[in-house]
Amino acid sequence: KQSHSDPFLIAGSRWRLLALRKGTTFEFFYQYMGVADSCQSLTSTWRRHVKLRLTIVNGISHKRSIVTDSDLYFDENLPACSYPTVPPPFNLLARDAGFLVCREITIVIEVVALEVIDTSDNDGGKSNDVNGFQVLPSQIFEIYPNIATEVRSMNPCLRKTYMNLLLGIIETLCQLPGELSDSDLDEASVAVSYVAQGGFKVDWLEKKVKEVKEKKKKVDTGKARLQQMEQDFQELNQKRLDLKDLLDKEKANDLAANVPLSFSDVLKKF
């Protein structure tokens, strides 16, 4: 049995929520979000990022409600996505559990956020064809217009994989050098080589990886020097404290010794 919502409009697209129940014991639900009439309404440049929240409502206490958050990405080839849900508790149908109220279980699905990644379809559906890639004007292709002219594979899935890997490398290099591990940068180097084997011109990206590696070495060296300096400072500070204790003791002994004898002390027999 399936249930679906009425179509609703968000960010220029009509959406519909669909739920499929498995079995008769509410083992779990298949949850889907999709674009209504997607075959007629989507262009090759349509992209959306959606954050969903599913809540199995508890009528006794809001804290007992079961919440699942999901990140979904849609494009013209994937106009509908399923998303995971937390399995319902074993006592879902129990009268005192709070989920079954008036013989009904309430499941709320919220669109928490929806990001329009690509809006060129709103401008007549125009997009740039870069050697078979349907892309929006981006910094990558604006700065390196010939980056993909020698890509050999015509398989759209492989081409998309290459682009995602390329973006992943760039995203990695945008992190703080000190937060990257050596293995992170080694994997980035391997990924650059893989992208280059696919036909991408990424010699500039290889140089950036080397640049970040050099920065990381400087950061690591600086951290080591700072740690050594801090250790030296602590040792010197401890020596200072020890020397101060000796100085205080010497002052006390000096004060104790620098006391004149009284008249009685002078006359006292040994």
Side-chain angles (χ1 to χ4, degrees), residues 166-200:
L166 179 62
L167 293 174
I169 298 170
I170 295 175
E171 184 178 356
T172 298
L173 298 181
C174 288
Q175 298 181 47
L176 292 173
E179 295 181 354
L180 293 171
S181 65
D182 291 335
S183 60
D184 289 335
L185 294 174
D186 289 340
E187 289 175 6
S189 296
V190 173
V192 171
S193 299
Y194 179 79
V195 173
Q197 290 174 6
F200 284 83

Side-chain angles (χ1 to χ4, degrees), residues 117-136:
I117 301 176
D118 178 354
T119 57
S120 64
D121 55 311
N122 295 330
D123 188 20
K126 296 180 181 179
S127 63
N128 289 347
D129 189 315
V130 182
N131 196 34
F133 289 99
Q134 295 296 324
V135 298
L136 289 172

Side-chain angles (χ1 to χ4, degrees), residues 100-161:
L100 186 64
V101 179
C102 297
R103 302 184 65 181
E104 291 184 351
I105 295 175
T106 301
I107 300 176
V108 178
I109 302 177
E110 305 168 81
V111 180
V112 180
L114 191 149
E115 176 188 4
V116 178
I117 301 176
D118 178 354
T119 57
S120 64
D121 55 311
N122 295 330
D123 188 20
K126 296 180 181 179
S127 63
N128 289 347
D129 189 315
V130 182
N131 196 34
F133 289 99
Q134 295 296 324
V135 298
L136 289 172
S138 64
Q139 289 183 331
I140 298 177
F141 286 98
E142 287 176 357
I143 299 175
Y144 303 101
N146 298 322
I147 187 176
T149 55
E150 297 181 4
V151 175
R152 295 177 292 276
S153 175
M154 298 305 297
N155 186 304
C157 293
L158 288 176
R159 297 171 77 85
K160 187 174 182 179
T161 298

Side-chain angles (χ1 to χ4, degrees), residues 37-242:
D37 303 324
S38 59
C39 293
Q40 301 176 4
S41 62
L42 302 185
T43 68
S44 61
T45 60
W46 185 88
R47 302 286 188 279
R48 298 294 186 270
H49 172 208
V50 181
K51 291 187 177 183
L52 287 181
R53 176 168 297 160
L54 181 143
T55 304
I56 303 178
V57 179
N58 189 291
I60 296 178
S61 172
H62 177 71
K63 294 181 179 180
R64 297 183 184 179
S65 298
I66 300 174
V67 180
T68 306
D69 290 321
S70 301
D71 276 351
L72 305 179
Y73 292 87
F74 300 85
D75 58 32
E76 78 281 4
N77 296 317
L78 192 65
C81 284
S82 64
Y83 50 95
T85 63
V86 175
F90 68 94
N91 61 344
L92 179 68
L93 301 180
R95 292 183 179 180
D96 58 349
F99 296 101
L100 186 64
V101 179
C102 297
R103 302 184 65 181
E104 291 184 351
I105 295 175
T106 301
I107 300 176
V108 178
I109 302 177
E110 305 168 81
V111 180
V112 180
L114 191 149
E115 176 188 4
V116 178
I117 301 176
D118 178 354
T119 57
S120 64
D121 55 311
N122 295 330
D123 188 20
K126 296 180 181 179
S127 63
N128 289 347
D129 189 315
V130 182
N131 196 34
F133 289 99
Q134 295 296 324
V135 298
L136 289 172
S138 64
Q139 289 183 331
I140 298 177
F141 286 98
E142 287 176 357
I143 299 175
Y144 303 101
N146 298 322
I147 187 176
T149 55
E150 297 181 4
V151 175
R152 295 177 292 276
S153 175
M154 298 305 297
N155 186 304
C157 293
L158 288 176
R159 297 171 77 85
K160 187 174 182 179
T161 298
Y162 281 129
M163 284 303 302
N164 289 337
L165 185 57
L166 179 62
L167 293 174
I169 298 170
I170 295 175
E171 184 178 356
T172 298
L173 298 181
C174 288
Q175 298 181 47
L176 292 173
E179 295 181 354
L180 293 171
S181 65
D182 291 335
S183 60
D184 289 335
L185 294 174
D186 289 340
E187 289 175 6
S189 296
V190 173
V192 171
S193 299
Y194 179 79
V195 173
Q197 290 174 6
F200 284 83
K201 297 180 179 180
V202 288
D203 53 327
W204 55 274
L205 190 56
E206 185 177 357
K207 293 178 181 178
K208 292 297 180 180
V209 173
K210 292 181 179 179
E211 179 182 336
V212 175
K213 283 185 176 181
E214 289 299 321
K215 287 185 176 182
K216 175 175 170 51
K217 287 181 180 179
K218 291 181 179 179
V219 171
D220 291 344
T221 302
K223 284 183 178 179
R225 286 202 303 266
L226 288 174
Q227 290 177 354
Q228 184 60 49
M229 292 173 66
E230 184 176 356
Q231 182 178 347
D232 293 343
F233 174 78
Q234 291 177 353
E235 292 177 355
L236 288 173
N237 192 47
Q238 186 60 49
K239 290 181 179 179
R240 183 187 68 84
L241 294 175
D242 294 341

